[in-house]
């Protein structure tokens, strides 16, 4: 059974906040956070609607007086979602995101935007937030997916796409090369958030299980998914004995979260899924995210980009960049499919909340990768 792909007119509202009100309140806060006499003014330029489905992201300019001169700087405001806006994740540790970005930027050559002022109490905007530098460039679109055609990436030459693929995989290798990740990023271990397990990979799976329990029992539109539960049962029964060396895992490791210029990464964004884990988690996520878009393109009879971000090419590029051989990716592929299932359930709940769709009778009709997920579980004997 297949499900209908997302219609061209689909929208993904993230928040019920008034952007104009954010600008006013933020300016008042900056007047206390910046040196005396800064006299800050905030110009809200808009949000980013094409990509990202979780935290609120607002583009803004801040003009202030520095050493007697008025200067304008470009920022991005990252705001944790409010509970009433049906967040994708059960909890948002914005401090952990902030700290991970700051450390990753200082300990690697990966282009991580510089983070700036932060307010973590939630007393100013209702939830924690931080500012980071705004980097100009282009991003492969999620809505509509870049591989559907009529996108700068789809229209690029084969050489340009190959260069982008290689450089994107090198981002993962660069993050994973940060030494002593287990100690430097100990605050990202799932055990800190009370997700138990004898090994790091077991604790990551416990985190995913808790996330699904949150998503499937929510009051807004909680619906259990036999397919996700089937995947979770297989993962738990086939847990690898050793997850390998712990590395900093970006988490939502996909090209839709990278800003490019001339097909080269200039900013690595969206760190809300950051964590500690085996390197295979990030590598598989990058492959699987594109595979989902390819599956949707095939349903619509579109040519897609089948020769881009293939499993073999990404694995080879990663080994070449890191010098590290990867283990079998099968377990991680199923894990990625499960997590995408939870994401889709939460996105559907939020769309229902904001009146973008009617509540479907079958929760699994919200899983855009349903057919692929079913085939994957059949293949592993789940």
């Amino acid at each position: 059974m297949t499900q209908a792909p997302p219609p061209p007119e689909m929208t993904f509202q993230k928040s019920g906040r008034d952007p104009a009100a954010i600008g006013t309140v933020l300016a008042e806060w900056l007047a206390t956070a910046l040196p005396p006499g800064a006299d800050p003014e905030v110009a809200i330029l808009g949000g980013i609607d094409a990509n990202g489905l979780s935290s609120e992201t607002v583009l803004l300019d801040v003009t202030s007086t520095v050493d007697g001169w008025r200067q304008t700087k470009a920022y991005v405001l990252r705001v944790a979602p409010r509970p009433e806006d049906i967040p994708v994740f059960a909890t948002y540790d914005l401090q952990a995101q902030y700290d991970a970005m700051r450390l990753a930027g200082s300990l690697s050559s990966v282009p991580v935007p510089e983070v700036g002022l932060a307010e973590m109490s939630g007393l100013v905007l209702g939830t924690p937030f931080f500012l980071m530098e705004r980097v100009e460039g282009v991003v492969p679109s999620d809505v509509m997916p870049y591989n559907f055609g009529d996108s700068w990436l789809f229209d690029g030459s084969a050489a340009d796409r190959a260069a982008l693929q290689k450089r994107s995989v090198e981002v993962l290798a660069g993050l994973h090369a940060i030494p002593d990740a287990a100690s430097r990023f100990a605050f990202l271990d799932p055990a800190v958030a009370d997700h138990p397990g004898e090994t790091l990979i077991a604790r990551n799976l416990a985190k995913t299980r808790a996330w699904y329990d949150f998503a499937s029992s929510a009051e807004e539109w909680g619906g259990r998914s036999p397919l996700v539960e089937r995947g979770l049962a297989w993962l738990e029964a086939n847990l690898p004995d050793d997850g390998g060396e712990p590395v900093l895992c970006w988490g939502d490791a996909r090209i839709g979260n990278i800003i490019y210029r001339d097909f080269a990464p200039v900013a690595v964004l969206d760190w809300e899924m950051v964590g500690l884990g085996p390197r295979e988690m990030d590598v598989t996520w990058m492959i699987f995210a594109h595979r989902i878009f390819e599956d949707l393109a095939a349903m619509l009879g579109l040519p897609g980009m089948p020769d881009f971000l293939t499993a073999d090419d990404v694995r080879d590029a990663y080994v070449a960049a890191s010098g590290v051989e990867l283990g079998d990716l099968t377990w991680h592929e199923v894990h990625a499919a499960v997590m995408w299932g939870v994401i889709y359930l939460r996105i559907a709940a939020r769309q229902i909340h904001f009146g973008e769709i009617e509540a479907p009778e079958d929760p699994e009709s919200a899983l855009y990768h349903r057919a692929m997920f079913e085939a994957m579980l059949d293949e592993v004997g789940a």
Side-chain angles (χ1 to χ4, degrees):
M1 179 180 179
T2 61
Q3 71 288 345
E9 69 276 15
M10 74 177 181
T11 58
F12 291 118
Q13 184 175 344
K14 302 175 190 176
S15 172
R17 295 189 221 246
D18 177 5
I22 289 179
T24 301
V25 174
L26 192 61
E28 294 173 352
W29 175 77
L30 285 171
T32 66
L34 293 175
D39 191 21
E41 298 176 5
V42 175
I44 299 294
L45 306 182
I48 299 176
D49 298 323
N51 284 31
L53 297 169
S54 193
S55 292
E56 296 174 49
T57 306
V58 181
L59 307 183
L60 54 89
D61 287 340
V62 176
T63 302
S64 62
T65 300
V66 180
D67 296 329
W69 296 91
R70 295 295 282 174
Q71 299 180 5
T72 299
K73 293 187 177 181
Y75 291 101
V76 173
L77 176 70
R78 291 285 285 180
V79 191
R82 305 178 301 178
E84 61 265 35
D85 288 332
I86 320 299
V88 170
F89 300 98
T91 59
Y92 281 78
D93 190 344
L94 214 65
Q95 184 68 60
Q97 293 179 41
Y98 183 95
D99 291 341
M101 291 181 68
R102 177 180 54 81
L103 286 170
S106 64
L107 296 173
S108 76
S109 60
V110 173
V112 180
E114 182 180 353
V115 291
L117 291 171
E119 202 292 308
M120 297 298 177
S121 73
L123 296 177
V124 176
L125 293 180
T127 57
F129 67 85
F130 64 83
L131 292 169
M132 64 183 182
E133 68 169 324
R134 190 166 85 237
V135 180
E136 298 301 324
V138 292
V139 179
S141 62
D142 287 347
V143 184
M144 298 301 287
Y146 56 83
N147 66 324
F148 280 21
D150 193 26
S151 73
W152 62 269
L153 181 55
F154 184 90
D155 295 334
S157 69
D160 285 336
R161 290 197 298 269
L164 182 143
Q165 176 178 276
K166 176 177 179 293
R167 293 162 180 166
S168 301
V169 175
E170 288 171 350
V171 164
L172 304 186
L175 292 174
H176 299 169
I178 297 175
D180 303 320
S183 57
R184 281 178 161 148
F185 298 95
F187 59 93
L188 296 177
D189 192 308
V192 174
D194 296 324
H195 299 300
E198 294 183 2
T199 64
L200 181 57
I201 198 167
R203 294 193 293 276
N204 273 294
L205 181 56
K207 180 180 178 181
T208 301
R209 164 64 79 173
W211 183 23
Y212 168 70
D213 290 342
F214 157 77
S216 61
S217 61
E219 293 181 1
E220 315 87 40
W221 182 70
R224 305 201 72 83
S225 165
L227 197 58
V228 171
E229 292 176 2
R230 185 177 155 199
L232 282 167
W234 184 89
L235 290 169
E236 290 164 351
N238 293 274
L239 194 69
D241 294 332
D242 180 13
E245 174 193 12
V247 299
L248 173 66
C249 282
W250 173 19
D252 198 1
R254 58 194 184 86
I255 63 171
N257 285 332
I258 299 177
I259 296 176
Y260 296 90
R261 284 201 298 267
D262 297 326
F263 295 88
V266 292
V268 177
L269 311 174
D270 287 349
W271 291 74
E272 60 198 1
M273 293 178 68
V274 67
L276 276 176
R279 59 188 73 231
E280 287 84 0
M281 285 180 64
D282 269 351
V283 174
T284 303
W285 194 264
M286 182 169 282
I287 296 167
F288 196 80
H290 178 70
R291 184 179 170 187
I292 285 179
F293 282 174
E294 282 299 290
D295 191 58
L296 292 174
M299 288 182 191
L300 288 170
L302 299 173
M305 298 169 61
D307 297 327
F308 183 67
L309 288 177
T310 66
D312 288 343
D313 285 350
V314 171
R315 177 189 282 271
D316 290 346
Y318 183 86
V319 172
S322 66
V324 179
E325 292 290 340
L326 295 170
D328 183 68
L329 301 183
T330 303
W331 190 92
H332 299 282
E333 289 173 349
V334 176
H335 191 204
V338 165
M339 288 194 288
W340 274 99
V342 180
I343 289 171
Y344 282 139
L345 289 173
R346 289 303 291 167
I347 290 172
R350 191 167 58 199
Q351 286 184 286
I352 294 165
H353 171 75
F354 284 117
E356 295 171 338
I357 64 172
E358 296 291 331
E361 293 183 6
D362 176 12
E364 289 190 344
S365 65
L367 308 187
Y368 291 130
H369 68 328
R370 182 176 184 172
M372 180 172 62
F373 194 3
E374 290 175 337
M376 178 185 295
L377 293 181
D378 288 342
E379 186 174 342
V380 299

